[in-house]
Amino acid sequence: MYKRITLISLNLTILTYNKFIDSIVDPIILGKIESNYTCFANVHMLIEAHNDTKFAKVVNNAKFCVTDGVPLLKAINWLYNMNQERIAGMDILPDLLSISEKKGIPVYFYGGTNEMLESTIEYCSKNYPSLLIAGVCSPPFRKLTTQEDQQVINKINQSGAKIVFVALGCPKQEIWMSNMTNKINASMLGIGGALPVMIGIQNRAPKWMQKYSLEWLYRLIQEPNRLWKRYFYTNTLFILLLTKDFILVKILGRKIKINN
């Protein structure tokens, strides 16, 4: 078990970037793969969990709820004087693909459009030529029937995939992975927007914006009509909730919640 620290609505896993990689890869190499899932937490996910206790349970029941968003890292340091490494899906995805290629670990891509998955296969063939892609699947943009769910489960299990990269977006991908736990025999990672960034459909914010917690602003500039209401609401509420926790922890002396 890994330590977890509570930040508002999320129980965040405390571990290093390299330890997380090892925790995904080592059981596969040792033949001890178990059905589990990883959530890459950011402000959007934290606010979704704050507003929906059922979704909070989904995220907090994940084997790993890792710190993707830089604001979460700064909040942990601000509240608890802890320096947690960033474990971002955009970094984990290419690193795990590289390791999977070297170790012969079959991977599966679930989510996104058919065009995106075709581009993913093309990208991997150029950058990871020996990578074993067990399969890809672009599900319909609606709730699947019980029969369709079972077909997906059978297809992924029969493919021999050991890592499933799930690109459905938050909160849909986290709910899907939770529902598939103990049904799909693989480690599932909710990588969301990391896939289109990796294959070049979207651009990632420059390093200086990542450093200063401004990736949200970069995405807002790219898609203002779709994102401005979400970011205005989530960022404002996050600041208010964090200020409340600061008062409770730093001024009123609330005990730090760390679960071993």
Side-chain angles (χ1 to χ4, degrees):
M1 295 293 292
Y2 298 94
K3 286 185 178 179
R4 293 209 175 199
I5 188 167
T6 300
L7 181 65
I8 303 173
S9 57
L10 299 182
N11 296 327
L12 299 169
T13 311
I14 303 301
L15 76 173
T16 66
Y17 185 96
N18 289 335
K19 183 63 177 176
F20 172 71
I21 291 281
D22 291 342
S23 297
I24 297 296
V25 174
D26 287 353
I28 297 172
I29 294 174
L30 294 173
K32 298 180 179 179
I33 183 66
E34 61 179 19
S35 182
N36 60 63
Y37 63 102
T38 295
C39 299
F40 293 88
N42 55 19
V43 171
H44 176 213
M45 184 180 292
L46 182 147
I47 296 302
E48 288 280 346
H50 171 75
N51 292 336
D52 185 345
T53 55
K54 289 183 179 179
F55 180 64
K57 186 176 180 180
V58 164
V59 175
N60 291 327
N61 281 343
K63 182 174 183 179
F64 299 103
C65 180
V66 296
T67 46
D68 187 317
V70 173
L72 303 191
L73 303 179
K74 294 187 176 181
I76 290 172
N77 181 263
W78 193 43
L79 286 176
Y80 304 135
N81 298 318
M82 295 177 64
N83 291 315
Q84 168 60 28
E85 286 187 48
R86 186 182 189 189
I87 305 176
M90 291 186 185
D91 299 318
I92 288 293
L93 176 56
D95 283 352
L96 274 180
L97 289 177
S98 178
I99 293 170
S100 295
E101 179 188 31
K102 295 174 183 175
K103 302 292 185 180
I105 298 173
V107 303
Y108 199 102
F109 295 94
Y110 183 84
T113 63
N114 284 316
E115 291 77 14
M116 181 186 294
L117 293 175
E118 289 171 3
S119 297
T120 299
I121 293 172
E122 182 179 354
Y123 177 90
C124 290
S125 67
K126 292 179 181 178
N127 293 274
Y128 312 99
S130 299
L131 177 67
L132 300 175
I133 299 181
V136 300
C137 179
S138 175
F141 290 94
R142 60 169 172 77
K143 182 177 176 60
L144 273 63
T145 65
T146 301
Q147 182 179 2
E148 288 173 326
D149 272 335
Q150 190 59 53
Q151 289 172 347
V152 169
I153 293 167
N154 293 341
K155 186 177 179 181
I156 294 176
N157 286 336
Q158 290 168 9
S159 76
K162 297 297 184 289
I163 297 176
V164 179
F165 295 106
V166 186
L168 298 174
C170 177
K172 188 176 180 180
Q173 65 193 14
E174 287 74 29
I175 295 171
W176 184 86
M177 291 189 297
S178 176
N179 290 337
M180 292 298 144
T181 303
N182 297 323
K183 298 175 183 177
I184 289 178
N185 304 319
S187 286
M188 297 170 281
L189 291 88
I191 56 168
L195 185 57
V197 170
M198 184 187 75
I199 64 178
I201 294 178
Q202 296 177 4
N203 295 321
R204 188 177 186 182
K207 290 289 187 181
W208 70 268
M209 295 189 84
Q210 297 177 39
K211 180 180 179 181
Y212 291 104
S213 306
L214 293 174
E215 284 184 282
W216 67 270
L217 179 59
Y218 186 81
R219 290 192 291 270
L220 177 60
I221 293 171
Q222 290 181 310
E223 300 182 84
N225 292 332
R226 187 176 73 86
L227 295 177
W228 78 268
K229 286 185 179 180
R230 183 220 287 183
Y231 283 142
F232 177 78
Y233 172 73
T234 57
N235 290 356
T236 301
L237 184 54
F238 175 67
I239 292 170
L240 291 174
L241 293 171
L242 185 58
T243 301
K244 176 185 174 182
D245 269 14
F246 180 83
I247 293 172
L248 291 173
V249 172
K250 294 294 187 179
I251 298 177
L252 300 181
R254 188 189 71 178
K255 291 183 179 181
I256 297 173
K257 294 182 181 179
I258 298 181
N259 303 315
N260 291 312

